[in-house]
Amino acid sequence: AQRVTQPEKLLSVFKGAPVELKCNYSYSGSPELFWYVQYSRQRLQLLLRHISRESIKGFTADLNKGETSFHLKKPFAQEEDSAMYYCALLTGTASKLTFGTGTRLQVTL
Amino acid sequence: GAVVSQHPSWVICKSGTSVKIECRSLDFQATTMFWYRQFPKQSLMLMATSNEGSKATYEQGVEKDKFLINHASLTLSTLTVTSAHPEDSSFYICSALGNEQFFGPGTRLTVL
């Protein structure tokens, strides 16, 4: 069965420091992975997807099939990056998403 | 991006009553919508896939008679929690599938 693991519940970094939010997955099919973000008192929204290979708000994520990972990175954290981040795996033909447990990123001065 | 609304945003009900939650896609049509449940400080758990004009597909362990889903139009899906009990208290989130899943703001249900 598919599974998404985010090992850190909380990641606290200083402003300007690099950020890496970890995500590992297990899935027998061809994986399609996403990062979603939820800012305080706001709804969940898509941050980026691996097939787009894009950088959004300075964040990037590379799919590593060998390590079954899709870590989210940003070289210099900003205060406005503080939020809850969820890694998600698209499974099957029904466009269903399996979410990880989320990591709260806290950027402090 | 596309907008998905949920109504109500919060509801308190007595044990044994039924509660209906609406999910609407405001500016696009969605053949498929999803219903999730989120416990405090936990992840979103997919409950069911709602398909317009057909029966919903429930995930393993989700009682279909407990959580009734109706997707009568391309912009509206409803989730009815029947005979609610305190253990049904949770945050319910819907999403509508366009070129990606667009999420609603969630509905907090408290059953007394």
Side-chain angles (χ1 to χ4, degrees):
Chain A
Q2 63 275 5
R3 188 184 184 101
V4 177
T5 303
Q6 293 180 251
E8 304 139 327
K9 286 191 174 181
L10 172 67
L11 182 65
S12 187
V13 301
F14 288 110
K15 179 182 175 181
V19 173
E20 183 178 51
L21 300 171
K22 291 183 167 44
C23 172
N24 288 89
Y25 68 91
S26 65
Y27 183 52
S28 57
S30 182
E32 190 170 343
L33 286 135
F34 303 79
W35 276 99
Y36 284 84
V37 61
Q38 188 170 28
Y39 299 102
S40 179
R41 301 182 185 280
Q42 294 188 28
R43 68 188 69 198
L44 203 64
Q45 57 185 283
L46 179 65
L47 180 62
L48 53 81
R49 63 184 90 189
H50 92 268
I51 57 172
S52 300
R53 301 188 65 81
E54 56 197 346
S55 173
I56 303 293
K57 299 184 179 183
F59 285 97
T60 59
D62 291 317
L63 177 62
N64 185 322
K65 291 187 178 181
E67 296 182 358
T68 60
S69 68
F70 187 57
H71 302 328
L72 183 68
K73 299 177 183 180
K74 184 170 182 176
F76 307 104
Q78 302 298 317
E79 279 185 88
E80 55 266 29
D81 297 329
S82 295
M84 195 74 181
Y85 291 81
Y86 293 95
C87 182
L89 170 68
L90 189 70
T91 58
T93 56
S95 299
K96 295 196 292 187
L97 288 171
T98 298
F99 284 87
T101 49
T103 299
R104 179 166 298 283
L105 175 63
Q106 195 171 66
V107 181
T108 56
L109 296 174
Chain B
V3 179
V4 174
S5 70
Q6 279 184 244
H7 179 80
S9 54
W10 59 271
V11 56
I12 301 172
C13 69
K14 292 182 179 180
S15 187
T17 61
S18 294
V19 175
K20 180 185 284 188
I21 303 170
E22 294 184 347
C23 177
R24 293 182 186 272
S25 55
L26 297 184
D27 49 4
F28 69 104
Q29 293 182 329
T31 306
T32 303
M33 293 185 177
F34 300 92
W35 286 97
Y36 296 85
R37 185 171 178 176
Q38 186 176 32
F39 291 100
K41 299 188 178 181
Q42 294 190 32
S43 187
L44 286 78
M45 183 189 76
L46 180 65
M47 298 174 66
T49 303
S50 171
N51 302 295
E52 188 269 336
S54 65
K55 290 182 179 180
T57 306
Y58 290 82
E59 294 301 299
Q60 194 172 12
V62 178
E63 299 175 59
K64 60 181 68 176
D65 295 330
K66 173 77 171 175
F67 299 99
L68 300 179
I69 291 172
N70 184 278
H71 194 156
S73 79
L74 288 171
T75 59
L76 173 64
S77 174
T78 60
L79 169 70
T80 301
V81 184
T82 63
S83 187
H85 287 94
E87 57 266 29
D88 299 323
S89 297
S90 192
F91 196 56
Y92 293 88
I93 301 172
C94 75
S95 71
L97 184 62
N99 58 350
E100 64 181 72
Q101 279 194 38
F102 296 98
F103 286 82
T107 297
R108 177 151 319 275
L109 170 64
T110 302
V111 185
L112 302 176

